[in-house]
Amino acid sequence: MRRFTRRAAFGLAVAGLIGRPAAAAGRPAPPIDLPPLGREFLWGVAGSGFQSEGHTPDSHQRRLFTEHTALARFPDCVDFYTRYTSDIALAADLGVGVYGISIEWARLQPRPGEWDEAGFEFYDRVLDAMAANGIRPMLTLDHWVYPVWIAERGGWGDPGIVEAWLGNARKVVDRYASRDPLWTTVANPGAYMKFESRDTLPTTGLSAMALRIVDVHNAIYDHIHLVQPSAQVTMSINVVAGTIADATESLIVDRVIDRLDFIGLGTYISFSLDTLPQLAEHTLIAPQDLSSPLTHAVQPESIYYALHYCAHRFPGKPVYVVESGMVTRNGLRDDGYSRANHLRDTVYWLQRAHADGINVIGYTYWTLTDSFAWGSYALRFGLYSVDVGTDPTLARKPTDAVAAYRAITASSGVPGNYRPSRPPATCSFVDLPDSCTDPVTLPR
């Protein structure tokens, strides 16, 4: 626990400027009539296996969370494992063309050298259901979960994890490359490394885990393109506070950039001078601290700044927003910001970036349904709410964002005359100092 002081807040803002590419001078004028994103644009939803599947195989995450959290009381999560057919149908009804899932290593390889065919057959059925609904899978090879036997060997601290990880990943790629998925190798490695809390290698300033993530990404990228030559492969990164959210993650990306077919952008929270007084007076622990402003700081125009950041940081690379959404506390927010308004406002700024010439090719909402997040079911991200603690049927209940997303996919964005319900903030930390000297504006 640490006190987030005004000095620390200023330090965060300044840190965002270090190593940041200079933005182009002057922002494009806001269009009066915003053009749609076009029929080639990819709309999607996503979730991760451990957080949604249930019937959870023995993994280091299961052992970590089963003892002390809501997972122990509700081990089947939202039960995507048996409800995948109806969930995928809900996604198809939204009009999306992409569904992101993670392939759980612990489900496929419960012990060294042993492969569970039933695990593969489950994912076979899931991908069959996607194909039947005209949906393309986006498959994540590592969303922070590995088998217990890997943990017993030291997890990412064991040099042997590289070959073990690749052994599993190659089997997954060989089995599913014919489905023409989009691929994410490792989700948000900066947050993953914080979760794992590994030691730092003094010779490079990178953790052992970071170096091994570079190794597995580069090796599996080559293998994917060997068996699926037209594949599109990425590693998702988070952008917040003016730069890639984690300095080590930024260094990882620099070491894999030649093996990223597109930039997989994740963006959720944002800070600005408008939120600085709140941040200065609160103790921030982690996103699972439901009272923390860190959990709820949302300014939708931050996606506009993040997309411009990616365009300048990685010139020539298309950008796909692979994770974006808004958290609530059991469906509610203190500021009254609705999920539908947040979604429409976010897509407006996505269209603004596209209209500026940013090569943004897709947007995936996190998540289709509520799921297990940060040790509880109280933090909610779903387009469909699921009351795990009180509803034994685990009914999927549409939020107001379901109709909003359906309208967005049908029209390739929000209407040209749409104006955000939440105005741009003063001096967004996602784009300092330009957001102060040349802030983004709305049409008059």
Side-chain angles (χ1 to χ4, degrees):
M1 182 188 310
R2 67 184 180 90
R3 178 68 60 183
F4 194 99
T5 64
R6 292 181 186 273
R7 178 175 294 180
F10 179 75
L12 175 65
V14 173
L17 302 178
I18 299 174
R20 178 181 171 80
R27 298 194 189 281
I32 300 297
D33 191 18
L34 191 62
L37 289 160
R39 294 299 172 183
E40 298 302 313
F41 191 83
L42 298 173
W43 299 101
V45 292
S48 81
F50 179 78
Q51 293 173 271
S52 60
E53 287 176 1
H55 306 268
T56 310
D58 200 7
S59 68
H60 82 300
Q61 290 270 32
R62 175 174 173 147
R63 293 200 179 185
L64 174 67
F65 285 119
T66 295
E67 197 168 327
H68 303 294
T69 72
L71 186 65
R73 300 190 298 280
F74 313 108
D76 287 337
C77 297
V78 294
D79 197 16
F80 179 80
Y81 188 84
T82 62
R83 300 165 193 256
Y84 65 88
T85 302
S86 56
D87 281 353
I88 291 168
L90 291 177
D93 183 62
L94 291 170
V96 302
V98 175
Y99 198 132
I101 61 170
S102 60
I103 305 292
E104 294 301 292
W105 182 4
R107 195 178 293 286
L108 303 182
Q109 194 180 18
R111 286 165 292 279
E114 294 184 25
W115 300 92
D116 188 343
E117 183 62 19
F120 283 104
E121 290 173 352
F122 164 65
Y123 292 114
D124 292 346
R125 295 190 298 272
V126 170
L127 298 188
D128 286 344
M130 289 187 191
N133 283 276
I135 291 176
R136 186 181 187 184
M138 176 179 280
L139 302 183
T140 297
L141 295 170
D142 191 333
H143 204 119
W144 307 10
V145 185
Y146 46 79
V148 166
W149 59 270
I150 289 289
E152 291 171 345
R153 294 178 176 183
W156 286 97
D158 173 27
I161 194 175
V162 172
E163 195 49 47
W165 192 100
L166 289 170
N168 170 73
R170 290 186 189 112
K171 279 190 172 290
V172 172
V173 170
D174 291 348
R175 189 157 183 138
Y176 298 125
S178 63
R179 309 283 190 138
D180 191 30
L182 298 155
W183 295 97
T184 300
T185 58
V186 180
N188 304 331
Y192 193 6
M193 288 184 291
K194 285 186 173 67
F195 189 86
E196 294 287 303
S197 301
R198 294 299 175 191
D199 294 331
T200 298
L201 289 179
T203 56
T204 62
L206 288 174
S207 71
M209 181 177 176
L211 296 173
R212 288 164 191 154
I213 286 175
V214 169
D215 289 343
V216 299
H217 171 89
N218 287 337
I220 201 61
Y221 176 94
D222 290 344
H223 184 76
I224 291 171
H225 279 273
L226 181 66
V227 297
Q228 185 187 345
S230 63
Q232 295 292 298
V233 185
T234 196
M235 172 192 289
S236 64
I237 60 174
N238 276 329
V239 172
V240 68
T243 187
I244 294 176
D246 180 88
T248 305
E249 180 174 277
S250 183
L251 293 171
I252 288 176
V253 174
D254 287 340
R255 286 162 170 76
V256 303
I257 189 62
D258 291 337
R259 288 181 173 89
L260 294 178
D261 297 314
F262 61 95
I263 302 302
L265 170 63
T267 179
Y268 294 93
I269 61 174
S270 56
F271 305 110
S272 66
L273 288 186
D274 295 343
T275 58
L276 190 57
Q278 288 177 284
L279 294 172
E281 301 303 326
H282 283 75
T283 299
L284 305 185
I285 302 173
Q288 64 265 35
D289 175 16
L290 300 184
S291 65
S292 167
L294 176 62
T295 307
H296 300 280
V298 171
Q299 283 297 147
E301 76 278 4
S302 67
I303 198 169
Y304 174 90
Y305 292 130
L307 287 166
H308 273 271
Y309 168 81
C310 288
H312 288 104
R313 176 78 159 76
F314 310 108
K317 296 283 186 182
V319 185
Y320 190 131
V321 181
V322 296
E323 286 190 32
S324 173
M326 183 183 76
V327 67
T328 70
R329 185 186 300 108
N330 290 319
L332 302 173
R333 288 180 58 89
D334 292 341
D335 61 6
Y337 201 19
S338 75
R339 194 170 295 282
N341 279 341
H342 175 261
L343 174 59
R344 286 187 289 257
D345 291 354
T346 298
V347 172
Y348 170 86
W349 290 109
L350 188 79
Q351 285 173 248
R352 280 283 299 271
H354 187 265
D356 290 351
I358 303 300
N359 188 15
V360 53
I361 60 174
Y363 175 84
T364 292
Y365 195 88
W366 185 275
T367 56
L368 176 71
T369 69
D370 291 335
S371 60
F372 181 72
W374 295 101
S376 87
Y377 291 100
L379 288 174
R380 306 231 181 140
F381 291 85
L383 293 164
Y384 283 85
S385 65
V386 183
D387 296 315
V388 176
T390 61
D391 180 7
T393 71
L394 299 178
R396 276 58 169 152
K397 300 173 184 176
T399 67
D400 59 352
V402 167
Y405 203 12
R406 192 180 293 122
I408 285 167
T409 62
S411 301
S412 298
V414 294
N417 61 355
Y418 180 81
R419 298 295 179 262
S421 65
R422 177 169 287 195
T426 303
C427 291
S428 171
F429 286 10
V430 183
D431 190 30
L432 289 174
D434 294 330
S435 65
C436 303
T437 59
D438 187 17
V440 69
T441 60
L442 296 175
R444 294 185 180 276

